[in-house]
Amino acid sequence: MRSARPGLTDLGPVAQLRAGRLARRLPQLYVGLALYGVSLALMVRGHLGLAPWDVLHQGLTRYLPLTLGQVLIVVSFVVLLLWIPLREVPGLGTILNAIVIGLAADATLAVLVEPEALWLRTVLMVSGVVLNGLATALYIGSQFGRGPRDGLMTGLHRRTGRSLRLVRTGIEVTVVALGLLLGGVAGVGTVLYALAIGPLAQHLLPFCTVALPGADPSLVVADIPPTRH
């Protein structure tokens, strides 16, 4: 008989730090967030479509004197302001999410050029999506809280009573539409990301979730929706 996989727990910011196993969880958090930034850069250089929020980020770079990573950081903190009326509480992972991903994306973009060959761009796009799924599982599995955009989704879900799927779809359709109006790039990569990221993260999350010693079983979340940064 197989042993049960560790579950994600819904902990407050102080409890996240007191939960233990920091020597495993903190490096995993940083690695996951850094890889997330790398994955975004891969999709940008693939130039075949971006993840929904990144369509918006890229569109904003056309009007702001900021890099893609800097726009991502600014938008993350703007989204965090929306947590206030939703009564969402950020954790360490939430704040680091808002910063590390943008820095990692800019660092990768600085050394990675866009190839001319379509097959190479396709490899970058697919690699970006797969790496994003792994990165998502790593940082969520470290049990340091949701990213800014995830908190917006779950907060709206709680406040409106609408399903997580409906809320997430509504948010992502809105940000893609705004991004396209601003000149962001959507394409086959956007579709692939939308279809693949959920199953990828869902499959990898049980293997990346760090079990917390002495966690209250009542706080274990049985079914975690696919997440975004």
Side-chain angles (χ1 to χ4, degrees), residues 11-14 16 77 80-81 83-84 87-96 144-148 151:
L11 300 175
V14 176
Q16 291 168 9
F77 281 101
L80 279 176
L81 292 177
W83 280 35
I84 298 173
R87 298 182 180 179
E88 291 286 303
V89 180
L92 176 63
T94 308
I95 304 303
L96 290 177
F144 279 110
R146 296 180 287 272

Side-chain angles (χ1 to χ4, degrees), residues 41 46 51 70 84 89 129 176:
Q70 290 168 345
I84 298 173
V89 180
V129 172
V176 168

Side-chain angles (χ1 to χ4, degrees), residues 7-9 11 19 143 211-220:
L8 290 174
T9 50
L11 300 175
Q143 309 241 39
L212 300 182
D216 185 346
S218 68
L219 298 176
V220 174

Side-chain angles (χ1 to χ4, degrees), residues 3-69:
S3 59
R5 296 287 182 183
L8 290 174
T9 50
D10 188 13
L11 300 175
V14 176
Q16 291 168 9
L17 293 172
R18 291 179 174 174
R21 304 196 67 181
L22 295 182
R24 158 73 187 277
R25 293 166 58 216
L26 281 172
Q28 179 173 315
L29 172 65
Y30 279 106
V31 169
L33 294 177
L35 290 180
Y36 206 115
V38 173
S39 74
L40 300 187
L42 291 177
M43 292 189 69
V44 170
R45 292 298 186 236
H47 202 68
L48 292 171
L50 302 174
W53 278 96
D54 297 315
V55 177
L56 174 61
H57 299 149
Q58 187 181 59
L60 288 170
T61 62
R62 298 178 180 272
Y63 297 91
L64 298 173
L66 300 172
T67 65
L68 179 68

